[in-house]
Amino acid sequence: MDERIINITLRKTRAVPRTQRARRAISELRSNVARHMKVSEDDVWIDKGLNEAIWARGITNPPIHITVKAVKFEDDLVEVSLPDNSVASN
């Protein structure tokens, strides 16, 4: 089991139309974690709390940075969640 704390920049979400920004942030987070943990994007599972942290300010204003904890299991499944003592930052 491999565990990492990763700070992900979601700044590219500002390049898409306002009504697609939170969805784009989720896809950027998924691709970034997949690249760092060396798995496919289909094997990345995003926790409900992390999803709610990204969507907390609505679809038009997701956070620019977010710190996540990624845990890779033996079957190449990666679970991504918020660290225990952290919340989304601007």
Side-chain angles (χ1 to χ4, degrees), residues 60-79:
T60 60
N61 195 20
I64 295 174
H65 309 276
I66 194 158
T67 302
V68 299
K69 178 175 76 171
V71 180
K72 183 178 181 180
F73 297 101
E74 287 81 21
D75 56 351
D76 284 345
L77 180 70
V78 177
E79 179 181 339

Side-chain angles (χ1 to χ4, degrees), residues 24-47:
R24 172 67 184 256
I26 292 290
S27 98
E28 279 188 46
L29 183 129
R30 187 180 302 275
S31 67
N32 196 315
V33 169
R35 186 173 66 242
H36 282 284
M37 301 300 277
K38 295 179 176 54
V39 296
S40 70
E41 289 185 23
D42 296 335
D43 294 333
V44 176
W45 184 80
I46 297 175
D47 185 51

Side-chain angles (χ1 to χ4, degrees), residues 7-21:
N7 187 18
I8 299 177
T9 303
L10 302 171
R11 190 169 298 278
K12 291 181 184 177
T13 58
R14 303 292 176 176
V16 298
R18 288 185 318 164
T19 58
Q20 299 173 12
R21 287 183 182 165

